[in-house]
Amino acid sequence: MSIENIPQNGTVIHTLDLWRTYRAGTHQEVHALRGVNLDIKTGSYFALKGRSGSGKTTLLNCIGGLDRPTKGSVRVFGIELKELNDKELTRFYRQNVGFIFQAFGLSPIYTAMENVEIVMQISGKGRKQRRERAEYCLERVGLTKWKNHRIYELSGGQQQRIAIARALANEPKLILADEPTGKLDTATAREIFTLFRQIVEDEGVTVLMAAHDPLVDEYVDLVMQLQDGQLLPPKEN
Ligand code: ADP
Ligand code: MG
């Protein structure tokens, strides 16, 4: 299967016996992931829960091509990641996947609009197309009024909305979010969880979100629980 021609339906993420072992010294090893088998279908909203250190970030990074597994298989849209070189991996993620992090990862001195546009500039979109898509994405997250404000002028909740708008810019089919509400108060966290829900429903995007906030259960289709690098059996929501 070519990376230009990925299927629109079916399995989005598939991991098989995924291990990630960190070396923590000459004789010490940390098994951050210990044989994770994950199967995520298209168009759904998933939460990955588990206490701090259970492996959530490591799993998202392995799925997001930011980290290489020690052992096992990761397929995203049917593509086996270890078969891609770094250049192919970068292009694959740029075209198909949006990332959202706890610390927002925005450029503080640029405006909301510029932060959304920049990722489209990197992927080679023209000026007009960039502008139109950025307008759409900012409207999608309810921040049209704030588009010309610089990031440092915005609240935490607004900044995370900008990060979501930016993740949507290249029309991803999958969004990976690592504790996107970790720095937000409860009411703002609820707004962000609701926004993801709307995006999943309206745009047909799949969202996989690490979150240890118990609130998240009310919003997602499925909660998966990681414990010491292993997935517990799933609970339907
Ligand atoms: P979570 O996101 O659920 O808090 P992490 O994936 O960050 O968990 O961490 C899982 C385990 O792997 C922890 O024991 C952590 O200390 C360890 N770990 C994570 N990254 C590294 C690293 N770069 N080097 C060594 N150990 C790491
Ligand atoms: Mg983490």
Side-chain angles (χ1 to χ4, degrees), residues 92-128:
F92 175 69
Y93 280 95
R94 197 176 284 155
Q95 289 172 348
N96 299 297
V97 182
F99 293 92
I100 295 159
F101 304 97
Q102 181 177 8
F104 316 137
L106 302 166
S107 303
I109 61 160
Y110 290 111
T111 66
M113 190 77 175
E114 287 163 346
N115 268 276
V116 179
E117 273 191 274
I118 201 157
V119 294
M120 290 182 272
Q121 199 165 1
I122 294 166
S123 63
K125 295 219 171 64
R127 197 181 170 79
K128 184 162 176 281

mmCIF file of all heavy atoms in Angstrom, residues 92-128:
data_model
loop_
_atom_site.group_PDB
_atom_site.id
_atom_site.type_symbol
_atom_site.label_atom_id
_atom_site.label_comp_id
_atom_site.label_asym_id
_atom_site.label_seq_id
_atom_site.Cartn_x
_atom_site.Cartn_y
_atom_site.Cartn_z
ATOM 1 N N PHE A 92 4.227 11.647 5.807
ATOM 2 C CA PHE A 92 3.037 10.880 6.153
ATOM 3 C C PHE A 92 2.256 11.571 7.281
ATOM 4 O O PHE A 92 1.041 11.758 7.200
ATOM 5 C CB PHE A 92 3.460 9.471 6.576
ATOM 6 C CG PHE A 92 2.327 8.609 7.063
ATOM 7 C CD1 PHE A 92 1.347 8.154 6.188
ATOM 8 C CD2 PHE A 92 2.238 8.244 8.403
ATOM 9 C CE1 PHE A 92 0.305 7.356 6.643
ATOM 10 C CE2 PHE A 92 1.196 7.453 8.862
ATOM 11 C CZ PHE A 92 0.233 7.012 7.974
ATOM 12 N N TYR A 93 2.980 11.998 8.320
ATOM 13 C CA TYR A 93 2.308 12.642 9.455
ATOM 14 C C TYR A 93 1.800 14.027 9.117
ATOM 15 O O TYR A 93 0.727 14.429 9.560
ATOM 16 C CB TYR A 93 3.214 12.641 10.700
ATOM 17 C CG TYR A 93 3.157 11.289 11.347
ATOM 18 C CD1 TYR A 93 4.109 10.331 11.053
ATOM 19 C CD2 TYR A 93 2.087 10.946 12.154
ATOM 20 C CE1 TYR A 93 4.017 9.056 11.584
ATOM 21 C CE2 TYR A 93 1.982 9.690 12.686
ATOM 22 C CZ TYR A 93 2.942 8.740 12.401
ATOM 23 O OH TYR A 93 2.833 7.484 12.915
ATOM 24 N N ARG A 94 2.582 14.750 8.321
ATOM 25 C CA ARG A 94 2.146 16.090 7.920
ATOM 26 C C ARG A 94 0.813 16.022 7.166
ATOM 27 O O ARG A 94 -0.059 16.852 7.331
ATOM 28 C CB ARG A 94 3.236 16.698 7.038
ATOM 29 C CG ARG A 94 3.130 18.170 6.875
ATOM 30 C CD ARG A 94 4.303 18.682 6.079
ATOM 31 N NE ARG A 94 5.518 18.734 6.852
ATOM 32 C CZ ARG A 94 6.743 18.680 6.321
ATOM 33 N NH1 ARG A 94 6.908 18.532 5.028
ATOM 34 N NH2 ARG A 94 7.792 18.767 7.099
ATOM 35 N N GLN A 95 0.657 14.993 6.352
ATOM 36 C CA GLN A 95 -0.557 14.879 5.534
ATOM 37 C C GLN A 95 -1.752 14.299 6.278
ATOM 38 O O GLN A 95 -2.887 14.553 5.890
ATOM 39 C CB GLN A 95 -0.272 13.994 4.305
ATOM 40 C CG GLN A 95 0.635 14.672 3.300
ATOM 41 C CD GLN A 95 1.074 13.726 2.190
ATOM 42 O OE1 GLN A 95 0.898 12.518 2.271
ATOM 43 N NE2 GLN A 95 1.654 14.303 1.151
ATOM 44 N N ASN A 96 -1.486 13.506 7.295
ATOM 45 C CA ASN A 96 -2.594 12.709 7.845
ATOM 46 C C ASN A 96 -2.920 12.904 9.316
ATOM 47 O O ASN A 96 -3.986 12.499 9.754
ATOM 48 C CB ASN A 96 -2.299 11.211 7.628
ATOM 49 C CG ASN A 96 -2.181 10.872 6.165
ATOM 50 O OD1 ASN A 96 -3.145 11.022 5.420
ATOM 51 N ND2 ASN A 96 -1.009 10.459 5.742
ATOM 52 N N VAL A 97 -1.983 13.465 10.068
ATOM 53 C CA VAL A 97 -2.142 13.448 11.523
ATOM 54 C C VAL A 97 -1.919 14.842 12.109
ATOM 55 O O VAL A 97 -0.989 15.545 11.725
ATOM 56 C CB VAL A 97 -1.153 12.437 12.170
ATOM 57 C CG1 VAL A 97 -1.357 12.373 13.683
ATOM 58 C CG2 VAL A 97 -1.326 11.045 11.553
ATOM 59 N N GLY A 98 -2.795 15.228 13.042
ATOM 60 C CA GLY A 98 -2.613 16.472 13.784
ATOM 61 C C GLY A 98 -2.212 16.160 15.223
ATOM 62 O O GLY A 98 -2.689 15.183 15.797
ATOM 63 N N PHE A 99 -1.334 16.985 15.794
ATOM 64 C CA PHE A 99 -0.854 16.762 17.168
ATOM 65 C C PHE A 99 -1.262 17.917 18.071
ATOM 66 O O PHE A 99 -1.185 19.081 17.691
ATOM 67 C CB PHE A 99 0.679 16.685 17.200
ATOM 68 C CG PHE A 99 1.239 15.492 16.499
ATOM 69 C CD1 PHE A 99 1.600 15.571 15.166
ATOM 70 C CD2 PHE A 99 1.408 14.290 17.159
ATOM 71 C CE1 PHE A 99 2.119 14.462 14.499
ATOM 72 C CE2 PHE A 99 1.920 13.176 16.513
ATOM 73 C CZ PHE A 99 2.280 13.271 15.181
ATOM 74 N N ILE A 100 -1.638 17.558 19.298
ATOM 75 C CA ILE A 100 -1.950 18.574 20.309
ATOM 76 C C ILE A 100 -1.282 18.150 21.616
ATOM 77 O O ILE A 100 -1.406 16.998 22.040
ATOM 78 C CB ILE A 100 -3.474 18.704 20.500
ATOM 79 C CG1 ILE A 100 -4.108 19.224 19.201
ATOM 80 C CG2 ILE A 100 -3.812 19.613 21.668
ATOM 81 C CD1 ILE A 100 -5.557 18.947 19.079
ATOM 82 N N PHE A 101 -0.571 19.081 22.234
ATOM 83 C CA PHE A 101 0.174 18.757 23.451
ATOM 84 C C PHE A 101 -0.364 19.553 24.631
ATOM 85 O O PHE A 101 -0.991 20.597 24.460
ATOM 86 C CB PHE A 101 1.659 19.051 23.255
ATOM 87 C CG PHE A 101 2.245 18.342 22.069
ATOM 88 C CD1 PHE A 101 2.386 18.991 20.856
ATOM 89 C CD2 PHE A 101 2.621 17.009 22.155
ATOM 90 C CE1 PHE A 101 2.901 18.327 19.748
ATOM 91 C CE2 PHE A 101 3.134 16.343 21.054
ATOM 92 C CZ PHE A 101 3.274 17.001 19.850
ATOM 93 N N GLN A 102 -0.029 19.080 25.819
ATOM 94 C CA GLN A 102 -0.465 19.747 27.042
ATOM 95 C C GLN A 102 0.008 21.197 27.084
ATOM 96 O O GLN A 102 -0.717 22.097 27.482
ATOM 97 C CB GLN A 102 0.097 18.988 28.247
ATOM 98 C CG GLN A 102 -0.297 19.572 29.567
ATOM 99 C CD GLN A 102 0.236 18.742 30.739
ATOM 100 O OE1 GLN A 102 1.014 17.811 30.554
ATOM 101 N NE2 GLN A 102 -0.203 19.074 31.913
ATOM 102 N N ALA A 103 1.242 21.421 26.649
ATOM 103 C CA ALA A 103 1.823 22.754 26.748
ATOM 104 C C ALA A 103 1.563 23.599 25.498
ATOM 105 O O ALA A 103 2.276 24.566 25.239
ATOM 106 C CB ALA A 103 3.316 22.647 27.019
ATOM 107 N N PHE A 104 0.547 23.212 24.726
ATOM 108 C CA PHE A 104 0.059 23.968 23.557
ATOM 109 C C PHE A 104 1.060 24.027 22.398
ATOM 110 O O PHE A 104 0.686 23.829 21.256
ATOM 111 C CB PHE A 104 -0.393 25.388 23.914
ATOM 112 C CG PHE A 104 -1.238 25.478 25.166
ATOM 113 C CD1 PHE A 104 -1.037 26.471 26.101
ATOM 114 C CD2 PHE A 104 -2.235 24.546 25.414
ATOM 115 C CE1 PHE A 104 -1.823 26.552 27.256
ATOM 116 C CE2 PHE A 104 -3.030 24.610 26.557
ATOM 117 C CZ PHE A 104 -2.807 25.615 27.483
ATOM 118 N N GLY A 105 2.323 24.351 22.673
ATOM 119 C CA GLY A 105 3.342 24.347 21.621
ATOM 120 C C GLY A 105 3.150 25.398 20.548
ATOM 121 O O GLY A 105 3.483 25.185 19.380
ATOM 122 N N LEU A 106 2.617 26.553 20.931
ATOM 123 C CA LEU A 106 2.410 27.632 19.958
ATOM 124 C C LEU A 106 3.573 28.615 20.017
ATOM 125 O O LEU A 106 4.329 28.643 20.982
ATOM 126 C CB LEU A 106 1.100 28.358 20.273
ATOM 127 C CG LEU A 106 -0.154 27.485 20.278
ATOM 128 C CD1 LEU A 106 -1.321 28.228 20.926
ATOM 129 C CD2 LEU A 106 -0.516 27.042 18.869
ATOM 130 N N SER A 107 3.695 29.439 18.982
ATOM 131 C CA SER A 107 4.721 30.481 18.983
ATOM 132 C C SER A 107 4.123 31.737 19.600
ATOM 133 O O SER A 107 3.251 32.367 18.996
ATOM 134 C CB SER A 107 5.183 30.776 17.568
ATOM 135 O OG SER A 107 5.651 29.593 16.975
ATOM 136 N N PRO A 108 4.560 32.127 20.802
ATOM 137 C CA PRO A 108 3.868 33.162 21.585
ATOM 138 C C PRO A 108 3.812 34.538 20.928
ATOM 139 O O PRO A 108 2.854 35.264 21.137
ATOM 140 C CB PRO A 108 4.652 33.206 22.897
ATOM 141 C CG PRO A 108 5.937 32.522 22.630
ATOM 142 C CD PRO A 108 5.692 31.542 21.529
ATOM 143 N N ILE A 109 4.816 34.886 20.136
ATOM 144 C CA ILE A 109 4.807 36.253 19.591
ATOM 145 C C ILE A 109 4.055 36.348 18.267
ATOM 146 O O ILE A 109 3.838 37.431 17.751
ATOM 147 C CB ILE A 109 6.233 36.837 19.420
ATOM 148 C CG1 ILE A 109 7.040 35.985 18.445
ATOM 149 C CG2 ILE A 109 6.935 36.956 20.773
ATOM 150 C CD1 ILE A 109 8.230 36.713 17.866
ATOM 151 N N TYR A 110 3.656 35.218 17.721
ATOM 152 C CA TYR A 110 2.865 35.259 16.500
ATOM 153 C C TYR A 110 1.375 35.307 16.830
ATOM 154 O O TYR A 110 0.956 34.921 17.916
ATOM 155 C CB TYR A 110 3.171 34.047 15.619
ATOM 156 C CG TYR A 110 4.549 34.100 15.017
ATOM 157 C CD1 TYR A 110 5.538 33.219 15.406
ATOM 158 C CD2 TYR A 110 4.858 35.065 14.049
ATOM 159 C CE1 TYR A 110 6.819 33.273 14.857
ATOM 160 C CE2 TYR A 110 6.130 35.131 13.497
ATOM 161 C CZ TYR A 110 7.100 34.242 13.907
ATOM 162 O OH TYR A 110 8.346 34.306 13.376
ATOM 163 N N THR A 111 0.586 35.760 15.874
ATOM 164 C CA THR A 111 -0.857 35.821 16.090
ATOM 165 C C THR A 111 -1.466 34.417 15.967
ATOM 166 O O THR A 111 -0.824 33.487 15.470
ATOM 167 C CB THR A 111 -1.545 36.724 15.053
ATOM 168 O OG1 THR A 111 -1.416 36.106 13.769
ATOM 169 C CG2 THR A 111 -0.940 38.118 15.028
ATOM 170 N N ALA A 112 -2.728 34.327 16.395
ATOM 171 C CA ALA A 112 -3.486 33.081 16.268
ATOM 172 C C ALA A 112 -3.465 32.613 14.810
ATOM 173 O O ALA A 112 -3.157 31.459 14.508
ATOM 174 C CB ALA A 112 -4.909 33.313 16.743
ATOM 175 N N MET A 113 -3.786 33.540 13.921
ATOM 176 C CA MET A 113 -3.832 33.259 12.482
ATOM 177 C C MET A 113 -2.487 32.731 11.972
ATOM 178 O O MET A 113 -2.426 31.730 11.270
ATOM 179 C CB MET A 113 -4.173 34.590 11.786
ATOM 180 C CG MET A 113 -4.493 34.462 10.354
ATOM 181 S SD MET A 113 -6.169 33.817 10.192
ATOM 182 C CE MET A 113 -6.310 33.929 8.446
ATOM 183 N N GLU A 114 -1.414 33.414 12.352
ATOM 184 C CA GLU A 114 -0.081 33.014 11.884
ATOM 185 C C GLU A 114 0.292 31.624 12.388
ATOM 186 O O GLU A 114 0.902 30.833 11.666
ATOM 187 C CB GLU A 114 0.968 34.039 12.350
ATOM 188 C CG GLU A 114 0.883 35.344 11.583
ATOM 189 C CD GLU A 114 1.601 36.518 12.277
ATOM 190 O OE1 GLU A 114 1.951 36.422 13.481
ATOM 191 O OE2 GLU A 114 1.790 37.539 11.595
ATOM 192 N N ASN A 115 -0.104 31.322 13.633
ATOM 193 C CA ASN A 115 0.197 29.998 14.173
ATOM 194 C C ASN A 115 -0.498 28.887 13.395
ATOM 195 O O ASN A 115 0.045 27.803 13.243
ATOM 196 C CB ASN A 115 -0.189 29.924 15.650
ATOM 197 C CG ASN A 115 0.956 30.284 16.576
ATOM 198 O OD1 ASN A 115 1.786 29.444 16.897
ATOM 199 N ND2 ASN A 115 1.024 31.555 16.953
ATOM 200 N N VAL A 116 -1.694 29.156 12.914
ATOM 201 C CA VAL A 116 -2.423 28.140 12.148
ATOM 202 C C VAL A 116 -1.861 28.060 10.725
ATOM 203 O O VAL A 116 -1.687 26.977 10.166
ATOM 204 C CB VAL A 116 -3.936 28.442 12.134
ATOM 205 C CG1 VAL A 116 -4.682 27.398 11.320
ATOM 206 C CG2 VAL A 116 -4.477 28.479 13.564
ATOM 207 N N GLU A 117 -1.550 29.234 10.167
ATOM 208 C CA GLU A 117 -1.062 29.267 8.777
ATOM 209 C C GLU A 117 0.297 28.602 8.600
ATOM 210 O O GLU A 117 0.575 28.026 7.549
ATOM 211 C CB GLU A 117 -0.963 30.718 8.303
ATOM 212 C CG GLU A 117 -2.259 31.231 7.721
ATOM 213 C CD GLU A 117 -2.043 32.557 7.015
ATOM 214 O OE1 GLU A 117 -2.104 33.595 7.697
ATOM 215 O OE2 GLU A 117 -1.793 32.534 5.814
ATOM 216 N N ILE A 118 1.125 28.697 9.644
ATOM 217 C CA ILE A 118 2.522 28.277 9.473
ATOM 218 C C ILE A 118 2.632 26.789 9.101
ATOM 219 O O ILE A 118 3.451 26.413 8.273
ATOM 220 C CB ILE A 118 3.360 28.644 10.718
ATOM 221 C CG1 ILE A 118 4.846 28.684 10.355
ATOM 222 C CG2 ILE A 118 3.119 27.700 11.878
ATOM 223 C CD1 ILE A 118 5.636 29.547 11.326
ATOM 224 N N VAL A 119 1.756 25.959 9.677
ATOM 225 C CA VAL A 119 1.855 24.521 9.365
ATOM 226 C C VAL A 119 1.458 24.231 7.919
ATOM 227 O O VAL A 119 1.901 23.256 7.328
ATOM 228 C CB VAL A 119 1.032 23.633 10.335
ATOM 229 C CG1 VAL A 119 1.598 23.704 11.736
ATOM 230 C CG2 VAL A 119 -0.434 23.988 10.343
ATOM 231 N N MET A 120 0.636 25.116 7.353
ATOM 232 C CA MET A 120 0.258 24.920 5.946
ATOM 233 C C MET A 120 1.349 25.432 5.019
ATOM 234 O O MET A 120 1.519 24.942 3.904
ATOM 235 C CB MET A 120 -1.068 25.630 5.666
ATOM 236 C CG MET A 120 -2.228 24.949 6.358
ATOM 237 S SD MET A 120 -3.784 25.746 5.966
ATOM 238 C CE MET A 120 -3.819 26.996 7.233
ATOM 239 N N GLN A 121 2.078 26.432 5.502
ATOM 240 C CA GLN A 121 3.219 26.925 4.741
ATOM 241 C C GLN A 121 4.265 25.814 4.622
ATOM 242 O O GLN A 121 4.787 25.556 3.541
ATOM 243 C CB GLN A 121 3.811 28.128 5.475
ATOM 244 C CG GLN A 121 4.683 28.981 4.606
ATOM 245 C CD GLN A 121 4.933 30.339 5.272
ATOM 246 O OE1 GLN A 121 4.450 30.608 6.389
ATOM 247 N NE2 GLN A 121 5.685 31.168 4.606
ATOM 248 N N ILE A 122 4.499 25.133 5.753
ATOM 249 C CA ILE A 122 5.460 24.028 5.760
ATOM 250 C C ILE A 122 5.023 22.929 4.796
ATOM 251 O O ILE A 122 5.847 22.338 4.109
ATOM 252 C CB ILE A 122 5.631 23.476 7.206
ATOM 253 C CG1 ILE A 122 6.293 24.546 8.085
ATOM 254 C CG2 ILE A 122 6.449 22.192 7.220
ATOM 255 C CD1 ILE A 122 6.225 24.265 9.570
ATOM 256 N N SER A 123 3.718 22.676 4.720
ATOM 257 C CA SER A 123 3.267 21.610 3.813
ATOM 258 C C SER A 123 3.042 22.123 2.393
ATOM 259 O O SER A 123 2.524 21.403 1.547
ATOM 260 C CB SER A 123 2.016 20.926 4.379
ATOM 261 O OG SER A 123 0.958 21.836 4.464
ATOM 262 N N GLY A 124 3.426 23.365 2.121
ATOM 263 C CA GLY A 124 3.489 23.855 0.742
ATOM 264 C C GLY A 124 2.187 24.392 0.158
ATOM 265 O O GLY A 124 2.045 24.483 -1.059
ATOM 266 N N LYS A 125 1.240 24.771 0.996
ATOM 267 C CA LYS A 125 -0.017 25.325 0.471
ATOM 268 C C LYS A 125 0.162 26.792 0.088
ATOM 269 O O LYS A 125 0.945 27.519 0.703
ATOM 270 C CB LYS A 125 -1.118 25.203 1.528
ATOM 271 C CG LYS A 125 -1.476 23.765 1.840
ATOM 272 C CD LYS A 125 -2.980 23.585 2.036
ATOM 273 C CE LYS A 125 -3.375 22.127 2.134
ATOM 274 N NZ LYS A 125 -2.809 21.445 3.292
ATOM 275 N N GLY A 126 -0.594 27.238 -0.906
ATOM 276 C CA GLY A 126 -0.512 28.621 -1.379
ATOM 277 C C GLY A 126 -1.129 29.593 -0.381
ATOM 278 O O GLY A 126 -1.885 29.201 0.506
ATOM 279 N N ARG A 127 -0.800 30.871 -0.573
ATOM 280 C CA ARG A 127 -1.193 31.909 0.373
ATOM 281 C C ARG A 127 -2.705 32.012 0.575
ATOM 282 O O ARG A 127 -3.193 32.067 1.695
ATOM 283 C CB ARG A 127 -0.636 33.240 -0.156
ATOM 284 C CG ARG A 127 -0.598 34.317 0.864
ATOM 285 C CD ARG A 127 -0.061 35.614 0.237
ATOM 286 N NE ARG A 127 -0.254 36.705 1.175
ATOM 287 C CZ ARG A 127 0.536 36.926 2.229
ATOM 288 N NH1 ARG A 127 1.566 36.136 2.444
ATOM 289 N NH2 ARG A 127 0.294 37.924 3.054
ATOM 290 N N LYS A 128 -3.434 32.014 -0.535
ATOM 291 C CA LYS A 128 -4.884 32.174 -0.471
ATOM 292 C C LYS A 128 -5.539 30.971 0.221
ATOM 293 O O LYS A 128 -6.406 31.126 1.084
ATOM 294 C CB LYS A 128 -5.435 32.332 -1.896
ATOM 295 C CG LYS A 128 -6.913 32.608 -1.979
ATOM 296 C CD LYS A 128 -7.285 33.180 -3.346
ATOM 297 C CE LYS A 128 -8.794 33.357 -3.468
ATOM 298 N NZ LYS A 128 -9.464 32.061 -3.755
#
